[in-house]
């Protein structure tokens, strides 16, 4: 079978719900027709449209790596009506999924390189699809050292704690740096904003690609810091996930100049970003 109609959602069932933070949950979902997953074939960094019947649909990053077969994961922050409804859903309930949409992280170009992931808040969700792809046993030999720098407002706002403090640090040649914005009782880890921690770590750009996603203000200062450290425009990759609606470049909701985020993105290099209109 093939997913011939890109606008047609396919029925899926929520199989597991993980409480990540007070306002972020991760939903594991499986297609009711197993044959759909066989042709879905998402790549790290792509997005999908999740629809709630009678409510609407929203663009959500696919959080799980394609190396994890048979199911999809979506980490969703409660920010509006639809996401509030999703947050009330439980295992066994039905949703619609269509996609995958957009380009993907250039994982072929990254082979043989060291990788530095820089995330903030829910921005770790799309990065996680690539982190787990790179760390998967069948792919690990293709990549060098992996460093993950991640921060959130507080320890309670850290997503994927099981990966940050357990799964990822156990992987060979993998280092995880975690920070929170302000001191808090019981936290003995690093304190400070992500861009400042990045400058403190001062990672050498030689043979390295950095991939970043997070709040716009974080990305702004991270990009400035990376340029000061000597990273070239092609060594910096980021992902923009805003304004998308149809997912196939037809509705004009997500265009930035001549570029459609849902088709030409959501993944861009710093060189790509600098070609976008100045109002962006």
């Amino acid at each position: 079978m093939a997913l011939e109609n890109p606008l047609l959602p396919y029925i899926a069932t929520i199989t597991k719900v993980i409480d990540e933070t007070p306002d972020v949950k991760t939903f594991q979902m499986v297609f009711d027709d197993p044959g759909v997953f066989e042709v879905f074939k998402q790549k790290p960094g792509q997005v999908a449209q999740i629809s709630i019947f009678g409510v609407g649909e929203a663009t959500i990053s696919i959080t799980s790596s394609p190396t994890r077969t048979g199911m999809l994961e979506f980490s969703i922050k409660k920010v509006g009506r639809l996401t509030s409804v999703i947050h009330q859903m439980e295992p066994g309930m039905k949703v619609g999924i269509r996609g995958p949409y957009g380009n993907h992280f250039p994982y072929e170009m990254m082979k043989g390189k060291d990788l530095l992931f820089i995330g903030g808040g829910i921005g770790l969700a799309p990065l996680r699809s690539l982190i787990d792809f790179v760390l998967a046993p069948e792919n690990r030999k293709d990549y060098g050292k992996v460093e993950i720098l991640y921060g959130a407002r507080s320890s309670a706002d850290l997503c994927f704690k099981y990966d940050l403090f357990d799964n990822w640090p156990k992987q060979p040649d993998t280092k995880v740096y975690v920070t929170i914005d302000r001191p808090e009782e019981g936290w003995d880890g690093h304190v400070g904003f992500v861009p400042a921690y990045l400058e403190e770590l001062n990672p050498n750009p030689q043979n390295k690609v950095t991939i970043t996603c997070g709040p716009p203000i974080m990305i702004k200062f991270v990009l400035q810091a990376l340029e000061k450290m000597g990273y070239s425009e092609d060594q910096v990759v980021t992902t923009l996930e805003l304004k998308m609606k149809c997912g196939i470049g037809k509705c004009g909701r997500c265009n930035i100049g001549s570029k459609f985020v849902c088709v030409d993105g959501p993944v861009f290099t710093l060189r790509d970003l600098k070609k976008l209109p100045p109002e962006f």
Side-chain angles (χ1 to χ4, degrees):
M1 64 176 294
L3 302 182
E4 296 179 348
N5 186 344
L7 296 176
L8 181 66
Y10 290 83
I11 304 300
T13 300
I14 296 172
T15 56
K16 187 177 181 180
V17 181
I18 302 170
D19 290 314
E20 302 283 359
T21 76
D23 59 1
V24 176
K25 292 184 178 183
T26 295
F27 296 83
Q28 291 184 1
M29 303 177 185
V30 298
F31 289 109
D32 286 10
D33 178 354
V36 174
F37 190 84
E38 297 300 318
V39 293
F40 193 81
K41 295 187 181 305
Q42 88 279 9
K43 296 182 178 179
Q46 288 193 295
V47 302
Q49 291 282 348
I50 305 296
S51 53
I52 306 300
F53 310 113
V55 180
E57 66 176 1
T59 307
I60 307 291
S61 297
I62 302 171
T63 312
S64 51
S65 164
T67 54
R68 299 182 65 186
T69 59
M71 64 86 179
L72 296 170
E73 286 185 329
F74 300 90
S75 297
I76 301 174
K77 185 179 180 71
K78 185 166 65 174
V79 293
R81 177 169 175 260
L82 186 134
T83 54
S84 295
V85 173
I86 293 177
H87 267 240
Q88 296 173 7
M89 300 183 77
E90 299 176 348
M93 301 182 77
K94 303 291 185 182
V95 299
I97 301 175
R98 61 182 178 93
Y101 297 124
N103 64 0
H104 56 83
F105 291 117
Y107 55 85
E108 290 289 342
M109 175 273 284
M110 297 175 183
K111 287 184 177 179
K113 309 285 187 181
D114 295 335
L115 303 180
L116 170 61
F117 294 88
I118 306 170
I122 189 63
L124 188 58
L127 300 184
R128 181 174 178 257
S129 68
L130 181 59
I131 293 171
D132 283 344
F133 178 85
V134 167
L135 295 181
E138 60 267 41
N139 297 325
R140 189 67 187 92
K141 66 182 184 306
D142 294 329
Y143 302 92
K145 295 179 180 177
V146 172
E147 296 173 283
I148 301 160
L149 168 56
Y150 173 65
R153 292 173 298 179
S154 69
S155 61
D157 292 305
L158 295 169
C159 295
F160 314 117
K161 297 180 183 69
Y162 41 94
D163 287 329
L164 292 169
F165 300 115
D166 190 16
N167 295 333
W168 291 338
K170 292 179 181 176
Q171 301 300 315
D173 290 326
T174 302
K175 181 74 174 177
V176 180
Y177 305 93
V178 179
T179 186
I180 60 174
D181 290 354
R182 297 176 182 82
E184 66 178 44
E185 187 175 350
W187 174 260
D188 59 1
H190 190 276
V191 175
F193 296 116
V194 168
Y197 196 13
L198 173 63
E199 295 202 52
E200 181 181 329
L201 294 170
N202 193 25
N204 190 323
Q206 184 174 4
N207 195 42
K208 185 170 293 180
V209 175
T210 180
I211 311 97
T212 183
C213 187
I217 189 66
M218 186 210 83
I219 291 179
K220 175 183 177 181
F221 287 107
V222 162
L223 296 182
Q224 291 177 0
L226 291 172
E227 285 195 290
K228 282 195 298 184
M229 293 175 195
Y231 286 79
S232 72
E233 295 176 347
D234 293 320
Q235 284 180 281
V236 181
V237 178
T238 188
T239 178
L240 306 176
E241 287 151 29
L242 68 168
K243 306 176 183 176
M244 287 180 270
K245 183 68 174 178
C246 73
I248 57 173
K250 299 296 184 184
C251 72
R253 180 79 175 269
C254 67
N255 69 295
I256 304 173
S258 62
K259 299 293 185 182
F260 290 84
V261 176
C262 68
V263 176
D264 302 301
V267 175
F268 296 90
T269 64
L270 179 55
R271 183 180 300 279
D272 296 328
L273 289 182
K274 289 190 172 182
K275 294 177 182 176
L276 296 178
E279 65 268 22
F280 173 70

